Amino acid sequence: MQSVRVIPCLDIDEGRVVKGTNFLSLRDAGDPVELASFYDRSGADEVVFLDITASSDNRPITIDLIKRAASVVFIPLTVGGGIRSVSDARAILRAGADKVALNSAALARPALICEIANEFGSQCVVLAIDSKWTGSSFEVYSHGGRTPTGIELKSWAILGERLGAGEILLTSMDRDGTKEGFDLEGLSAVAGATNVPIIASGGAGSLDHFVQGAKISGVTGLLAASVFHFGTFSVAEVKDALLAQSIPVRPNRILE
């Protein structure tokens, strides 16, 4: 079994880390560079930066922010928000990111996935998907969860893999910030339909929730925000809970 990664997520709005519930009611959680450095020292396996208003505001993510974060973080850094072209991806990777996350722009023009994968390799391309249960199916949303697309979750995940995405970051809008647990049904649907690693996102509120997510075949990453930002659990505590259930994790690399 592949080691499961524990990944703090930093949702960024106007240069600050924010966190809400169901993508609404955002509250400040700190400086992104300081938090990224803290998680690096605390044993996180990766860090994800998502500029949650870059697409809706029709602007690029701040390159200077990525450079400053990359200078203090020595674990993989994934960056998403406002990436609309190969040149955008190139700028972010040159600034120090290891992977780029595509969401709204890929929905508007799916060929973007293929273009970036061809240029930099599939290992650099994360397809970020925000999904919501409509009562009969899971629907994909764009622009930070603001815009329904009418696209069904599983079909979009399958297409994204075919176009070259090397990983899928699946966020449940229904569970986001609720601390009610990952959407196991949605994760299972995507895991059963694709062959790329999946990062579970949205809803982690207890150590058992992380264990439940990790037990889904195909889920190799567990992403959370508020439980880390506001001190509910540490990365080390999550890893210890996974190890207690015989789920392999990367060794804690906690630095003083």
Side-chain angles (χ1 to χ4, degrees):
M1 182 178 179
Q2 187 175 353
S3 293
V4 174
R5 296 161 291 157
V6 179
I7 307 171
C9 180
L10 284 65
D11 292 330
I12 300 168
D13 184 19
E14 296 183 355
R16 298 288 293 178
V17 178
V18 296
K19 188 56 193 169
T21 302
N22 304 130
F23 285 39
L24 301 171
S25 303
L26 301 179
R27 55 175 171 154
D28 188 275
D31 177 79
V33 176
E34 290 179 2
L35 276 174
S37 178
F38 169 76
Y39 290 130
D40 179 48
R41 298 192 308 271
S42 299
D45 298 305
E46 299 182 17
V47 175
V48 172
F49 273 24
L50 297 177
D51 189 324
I52 61 173
T53 55
S55 291
S56 59
D57 292 349
N58 194 33
R59 59 171 176 76
I61 194 168
T62 304
I63 294 297
D64 179 63
L65 177 63
I66 305 308
K67 289 181 178 178
R68 289 190 291 118
S71 70
V72 298
V73 170
F74 303 97
I75 53 178
L77 172 62
T78 297
V79 176
I83 301 169
R84 302 175 183 86
S85 66
V86 170
S87 61
D88 288 341
R90 180 180 293 109
I92 287 172
L93 293 171
R94 284 181 174 174
D98 298 277
K99 295 181 278 189
V100 294
L102 306 177
N103 192 326
S104 299
L107 284 162
R109 194 172 67 85
L112 178 63
I113 301 171
C114 185
E115 292 168 2
I116 295 177
N118 286 342
E119 184 75 14
F120 305 108
S122 292
Q123 78 283 350
C124 289
V125 182
V126 178
L127 180 61
I129 305 177
D130 299 327
S131 73
K132 188 175 184 179
W133 180 250
T134 64
S136 58
S137 64
F138 289 101
E139 182 178 1
V140 176
Y141 278 63
S142 67
H143 296 86
R146 295 168 177 81
T147 306
T149 65
I151 299 172
E152 193 271 330
L153 169 62
K154 190 163 65 173
S155 63
W156 177 233
I158 292 170
L159 179 59
E161 179 184 11
R162 289 176 180 170
L163 290 172
E167 192 167 19
I168 292 173
L169 168 56
L170 178 57
T171 300
S172 167
M173 293 176 61
D174 300 301
R175 299 299 183 93
D176 175 70
T178 66
K179 299 185 180 181
E180 295 177 354
F182 294 115
D183 189 333
L184 303 181
E185 183 180 353
L187 287 168
S188 297
V190 172
T194 61
N195 296 296
V196 294
I198 297 169
I199 300 173
S201 170
S206 72
L207 293 174
D208 189 54
H209 291 157
F210 288 96
V211 172
Q212 292 171 6
K215 287 184 176 180
I216 296 177
S217 178
V219 172
T220 66
L222 303 168
L223 182 146
S226 58
V227 293
F228 293 142
H229 299 338
F230 302 119
T232 306
F233 305 115
S234 67
V235 169
E237 287 173 324
V238 172
K239 289 190 174 184
D240 287 343
L242 295 171
L243 283 172
Q245 296 297 318
S246 300
I247 296 169
V249 297
R250 298 174 183 181
N252 277 318
R253 187 184 60 88
I254 301 176
L255 305 177
E256 296 297 333

